[in-house]
Amino acid sequence: GRKVILSEPGNFPTDLYVLQGLAAFAGDVELRTVPADQIAEALDDSVALLLLTQVHYKSGRLHDMAALTARAHEVGALALWDLSHSAGALAVDLNGCGADLAVGCGYKYLNGGPGAPAFAFVARRHHEAFRSPLSGWMGHARPFEFVDAYEPGQGLARALCGTPPVLGMTALEAALEAFDGVDMGQIRAKSMALGDLFLELVEQRCAGHGFEIACPRDARARGSQVALAHREGYAIMQALIAREVIGDFRAPDILRFGFTPLYVRHVDVWEAVERLVQVMESGQWREARFHQKAAVT
Ligand SMILES: *Cc1c(COP(=O)(O)O)cnc(C)c1O
């Protein structure tokens, strides 16, 4: 009976676009966005679903998943978490937080490579009621009977749609094996140390070059990425990539650096900042070739 889906402005585009697509398709859906610090208040009994990305893709800010899920449940709403920037970077306790639904991609901190398969989580208590709008043959209870009438499979198998992308899954499987026996607490500790080191070095070595820190300074409030803001961010990142330090640029002015704790070392962070200093001190970012806008930034 409820029609409001609550999210925040500036959430990752697909999260908002898919909801806009749903609203255009299903009609009786209202997408409401309120700034991150007002979400708890905005949760009222008109809200059907809270949809948030746990670690913001641009700022790296970390939401309190347990508290916001509890608040959503208090008003009778469901909570869906996008874990694209969480999975592989920090311990995520979906059941401990009482999360209802979650999604995420396999190609960030899980290292599955571009276009790696995504994942979905549906709490067991919802398995019976859960229906995928994409009712393809692989989600059927008995796909190899090839019957005309759709009947959802058991448990999460009903979330499947078509033939699994086996090549992509093979790469992702190998990437996940690298996590075998790894303690996520240690991963998180190293991730926080790498981010802190990067920010300290930028503060020490890049002062006067016009950078601003655009992510939480406190590692506990941050995912495994840091963001710097600079008017010339695009060209600076291009010049840095030419020096083999690969971060990315997110409009309008954010340089984003992700630290994959499994294999990024402290010395790599030190070296990255050193090359950033070289780009700034040499003024190399001013070269015309670094100002040409590419399709992928
Ligand atoms: C990267 C990312 C995705 C992944 O989208 P794809 O369509 O799989 O490329 C989804 N949500 C968030 C928050 C992301 O950062």
Side-chain angles (χ1 to χ4, degrees), residues 155-177:
L156 206 55
R158 64 181 55 184
L160 294 173
C161 180
T163 305
V166 173
L167 296 180
M169 286 175 69
T170 304
L172 180 59
E173 184 174 33
L176 294 179
E177 276 166 9

Side-chain angles (χ1 to χ4, degrees), residues 17 41 46 65 74 78-79 94 128 137 156 163 175 190 202 206 226 231 237 240 246 263 278 290:
Y17 297 170
E41 296 153 50
S46 69
M65 182 157 90
E74 260 171 49
L78 299 178
L94 288 166
E128 278 301 302
W137 75 294
L156 206 55
T163 305
K190 185 173 171 204
V202 166
C206 297
V226 302
R231 275 175 46 233
M237 186 54 84
L240 204 50
I246 303 179
Y263 54 81
Q278 290 164 12
F290 296 132

Side-chain angles (χ1 to χ4, degrees), residues 18-31:
V18 165
L19 296 181
Q20 289 165 22
L22 176 70
F25 199 73
D28 206 18
V29 173
E30 181 196 328
L31 173 56

Side-chain angles (χ1 to χ4, degrees), residues 70-283:
R71 175 78 194 122
H73 290 170
E74 260 171 49
V75 299
L78 299 178
L80 191 169
W81 291 93
D82 185 331
L83 303 176
S84 294
H85 286 276
S86 312
L90 45 103
V92 179
D93 186 2
L94 288 166
N95 287 320
C97 293
D100 298 285
L101 303 150
V103 293
C105 68
Y107 62 82
K108 288 174 184 141
Y109 299 98
L110 295 180
N111 308 307
F119 59 86
F121 164 89
V122 179
R124 271 188 212 287
R125 62 187 178 279
H126 297 309
H127 279 193
E128 278 301 302
F130 174 75
R131 289 285 181 280
S132 168
L134 300 174
S135 38
W137 75 294
M138 272 284 157
H140 194 277
R142 295 169 307 281
F144 286 90
E145 288 185 13
F146 299 99
V147 295
D148 286 354
Y150 183 76
E151 184 192 322
Q154 280 296 310
L156 206 55
R158 64 181 55 184
L160 294 173
C161 180
T163 305
V166 173
L167 296 180
M169 286 175 69
T170 304
L172 180 59
E173 184 174 33
L176 294 179
E177 276 166 9
F179 284 92
D180 285 353
V182 171
D183 171 358
M184 287 309 292
Q186 281 185 309
I187 290 268
R188 176 66 172 148
K190 185 173 171 204
S191 151
M192 295 196 291
L194 293 172
D196 280 346
L197 176 63
F198 185 91
L199 293 174
E200 274 162 35
L201 289 173
V202 166
E203 281 168 343
Q204 283 170 19
R205 308 274 289 116
C206 297
H209 285 299
F211 290 105
E212 268 171 48
I213 293 176
C215 58
R217 191 66 184 77
D218 179 354
R220 288 165 302 181
R222 199 170 67 217
S224 200
Q225 78 217 48
V226 302
L228 303 178
H230 195 290
R231 275 175 46 233
E232 298 292 345
Y234 180 81
I236 292 168
M237 186 54 84
Q238 291 301 309
L240 204 50
I241 290 171
R243 287 175 183 258
E244 298 179 326
V245 176
I246 303 179
D248 41 28
F249 171 76
R250 290 291 175 263
D253 60 356
I254 299 290
L255 297 101
R256 187 178 69 166
F257 299 86
F259 305 104
T260 295
L262 265 186
Y263 54 81
V264 172
R265 303 164 303 170
H266 292 81
V267 67
D268 298 324
V269 170
W270 192 88
E271 185 64 32
V273 176
E274 216 39 47
R275 293 184 197 186
L276 181 59
V277 171
Q278 290 164 12
V279 163
M280 300 315 293
E281 289 184 351
S282 66

